[in-house]
């Protein structure tokens, strides 16, 4: 919520110039030389994606309370903050008000980290409207964390169910920690929330990050999951979006916590190691990243759009903020162009974003590369908007 605002460009607008005189007397203007052709302004792809998505779905039909919709609508909020188009905020409020009653009650048990991600919308709506109902609803997530199950070293389980018991998924780093630091800032609870978010990222990083800087998808402290290595408890693969979730989370938390936060040096160290891994495994041909990150040489692996947006955002923001070396800005720019290559406009005038992995559990290589490659999946649309608001002026 502290992002700079830029003036929106109208999609497809032409930069025009020149003088006109009275029609009856003005001499015919000479045809411009080829080198004098008027430039075409870059489209505002954020506005185009939001307008396309909100024309496809109403706040009632976009889906239930879920993290993919929450991610997309958070991206839409960033576009609202820049453009001040009131329709975008009204849309978000209409969606949230399906679930939050006037007294702030919300029919969610918050028994998984996934269910908490859309809580960011509660915080931002309180920030924009001042309505106490959103504080009350957000407080339910904050209070749930008091009793939420943890690993022995304090990491939040991915979900409070037997099938997810004792497990840390890299995905979960984004589902709760950006909410936490934003909640703390909005409601004066940063002493707890900043420390908790930093602790979670540190614990997750200590288990999931391996020698090449990348993170494995998940870790099972009990070693009982079918995918868990019996010695390390780690999942077998580096699934790109799981690493993407963690990458965005660590940037958002570093942006929020104070410079003297005790865990900050540890988070910066994790991020720098991760950034080196991201650079190493970026596809040199496309600028994007592969679904299984370190196996791009295999013929059935493919570049995935949502994680490519996430890494592009994290590297650009990290370089700009000084968390990682400035040269990563160039890595991010290559990623940005790679993602833009997956964006097109259909015959109906609406945008289409291709090659987005649908929602994914923990699995093996064949499972990941066999996932459906969707178009306009909310995982990809939300990540695209977050990325584009970071890089559109670069």
């Amino acid at each position: 919520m502290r992002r700079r605002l830029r003036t929106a460009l109208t999609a497809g607008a032409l930069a025009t110039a020149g003088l006109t005189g009275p029609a009856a007397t003005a001499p015919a203007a000479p045809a411009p030389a080829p080198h004098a052709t008027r430039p075409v302004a870059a489209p505002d792809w954020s506005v185009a994606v939001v307008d396309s998505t909100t024309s496809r779905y109403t706040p009632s039909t976009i889906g239930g309370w879920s993290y993919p919709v929450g991610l997309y609508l958070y991206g839409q909020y960033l576009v609202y903050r820049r453009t001040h188009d009131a329709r975008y905020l009204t849309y978000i409020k209409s969606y949230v008000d399906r679930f939050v009653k006037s007294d702030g009650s919300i029919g969610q048990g918050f028994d998984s980290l996934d269910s908490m991600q859309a809580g960011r919308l509660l915080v931002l709506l309180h920030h924009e409207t001042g309505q106490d109902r959103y504080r009350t609803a957000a407080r339910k997530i904050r209070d749930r964390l008091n009793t939420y199950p943890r690993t022995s070293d304090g990491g939040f389980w991915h979900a409070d169910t037997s099938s997810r018991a004792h497990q840390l998924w890299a995905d979960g780093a984004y589902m709760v920690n950006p909410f936490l630091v934003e909640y703390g800032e909005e409601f004066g609870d940063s002493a707890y929330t900043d420390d908790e978010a930093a602790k979670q990222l540190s614990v997750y990083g200590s288990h999931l990050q391996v020698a090449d800087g990348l993170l494995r998808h998940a870790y099972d402290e009990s070693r009982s999951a079918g995918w868990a290595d019996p010695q390390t408890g780690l999942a077998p693969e580096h699934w790109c979006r799981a690493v993407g979730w963690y990458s965005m989370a660590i940037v958002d938390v570093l942006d929020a916590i104070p410079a003297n936060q005790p865990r900050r040096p540890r988070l910066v160290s994790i991020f720098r190691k991760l950034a080196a891994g991201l650079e190493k495994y970026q596809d040199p041909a496309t600028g994007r990243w592969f679904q299984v990150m370190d196996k791009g040489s295999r013929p059935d692996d493919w570049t995935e759009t949502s994680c490519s947006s996430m890494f592009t955002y994290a590297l650009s923001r990290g370089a700009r903020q000084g968390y990682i070396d400035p040269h990563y800005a160039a890595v991010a720019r290559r990623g940005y162009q790679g993602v833009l290559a997956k964006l097109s406009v259909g015959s109906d005038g609406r945008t289409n974003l291709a090659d987005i992995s649908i929602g994914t559990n923990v699995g093996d290589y064949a499972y990941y590369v066999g996932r459906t490659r969707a178009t306009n999946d909310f995982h990809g649309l939300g990540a695209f908007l977050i990325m584009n608001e970071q890089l559109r002026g670069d």
Side-chain angles (χ1 to χ4, degrees), residues 214-215 238-248 251 271 274-275 277-279 281-282 287-291 293 304-319 324 328 331-333 335-336 339 383 387 390-391:
L214 302 183
L215 281 70
H238 303 293
W239 176 47
C240 70
R241 192 160 65 228
V243 184
W245 290 125
Y246 187 94
S247 301
M248 291 202 300
V251 171
F271 188 19
L274 172 57
L278 296 180
E279 182 177 23
Y281 291 109
Q282 185 180 34
R288 297 186 294 272
W289 282 266
F290 287 93
Q291 173 81 331
M293 296 184 65
E304 199 278 332
T305 304
S306 69
C307 76
S308 297
S309 297
M310 293 172 172
F311 297 146
T312 296
Y313 163 76
L315 292 173
S316 174
R317 184 73 181 171
I324 55 178
Y328 287 108
V331 181
R333 285 192 292 272
Y336 185 48
V339 173
M387 173 200 71
Q390 170 69 22
L391 280 104

Side-chain angles (χ1 to χ4, degrees), residues 41-227:
D44 188 330
W45 287 121
S46 292
V47 167
V49 166
V50 170
D51 287 349
S52 297
T53 306
T54 55
S55 68
R56 289 180 171 119
Y57 306 98
T58 69
S60 297
T61 63
I62 195 169
W65 182 268
S66 70
Y67 75 88
V69 177
L71 176 74
Y72 165 74
L73 290 176
Y74 178 77
Q76 180 168 309
Y77 175 70
L78 298 181
V79 184
Y80 161 75
R81 287 295 302 265
R82 173 171 60 84
T83 65
H84 305 291
D85 189 328
R87 296 174 303 155
Y88 298 163
L89 185 63
T90 298
Y91 188 104
I92 297 168
K93 187 176 186 302
S94 296
Y95 165 81
V96 170
D97 288 353
R98 290 169 48 200
F99 309 99
V100 178
K101 296 180 181 178
S102 59
D103 63 356
S105 58
I106 181 171
Q108 303 291 325
F110 298 115
D111 291 329
S112 70
L113 299 186
D114 286 352
S115 68
M116 300 178 187
Q117 192 281 332
R120 296 183 87 178
L121 306 180
L122 304 173
V123 177
L124 68 86
L125 284 174
H126 182 272
H127 184 78
E128 295 292 342
T129 70
Q131 294 182 19
D132 205 53
R133 63 194 291 191
Y134 303 118
R135 177 201 299 265
T136 301
R139 180 75 193 189
K140 186 173 181 180
I141 301 175
R142 162 68 176 86
D143 289 346
R144 177 68 180 94
L145 294 176
N146 294 335
T147 58
Y148 195 81
R150 300 171 181 250
T151 57
S152 60
D153 52 357
F156 291 136
W157 291 5
H158 193 63
D160 189 4
T161 62
S162 59
S163 64
R164 302 287 184 266
H166 312 288
Q167 295 176 18
L168 309 179
W169 293 23
D171 321 45
Y174 190 80
M175 301 304 157
V176 68
N177 295 305
F179 161 81
L180 267 175
V181 293
E182 290 165 4
Y183 179 96
E185 181 183 14
E186 182 71 10
F187 301 118
D189 194 20
S190 292
Y192 162 73
T193 61
D194 287 357
D195 185 67
E196 184 72 86
K199 176 182 178 178
Q200 293 301 318
L201 287 167
S202 179
V203 170
Y204 274 58
S206 69
H207 291 296
L208 297 173
Q209 191 170 48
V210 297
D212 62 4
L214 302 183
L215 281 70
R216 296 289 178 86
H217 187 173
Y219 160 78
D220 178 11
E221 184 177 39
S222 71
R223 275 70 166 171
S224 61
W227 47 259

Side-chain angles (χ1 to χ4, degrees), residues 254-285:
L254 285 170
D255 277 355
I257 62 176
N260 62 352
Q261 215 286 333
R263 291 188 172 91
R264 188 181 187 89
R266 170 64 178 149
L267 299 189
V268 171
S269 176
I270 292 171
F271 188 19
R272 289 177 177 172
K273 189 176 177 182
L274 172 57
L278 296 180
E279 182 177 23
K280 177 180 178 180
Y281 291 109
Q282 185 180 34
D283 178 25

Side-chain angles (χ1 to χ4, degrees), residues 358-382:
I358 61 172
T360 299
N361 292 317
V362 182
D364 59 12
Y365 175 83
Y367 171 76
Y368 292 118
V369 298
R371 300 303 284 163
T372 298
R373 299 161 69 165
T375 297
N376 297 329
D377 184 282
F378 291 125
H379 298 86
L381 296 178

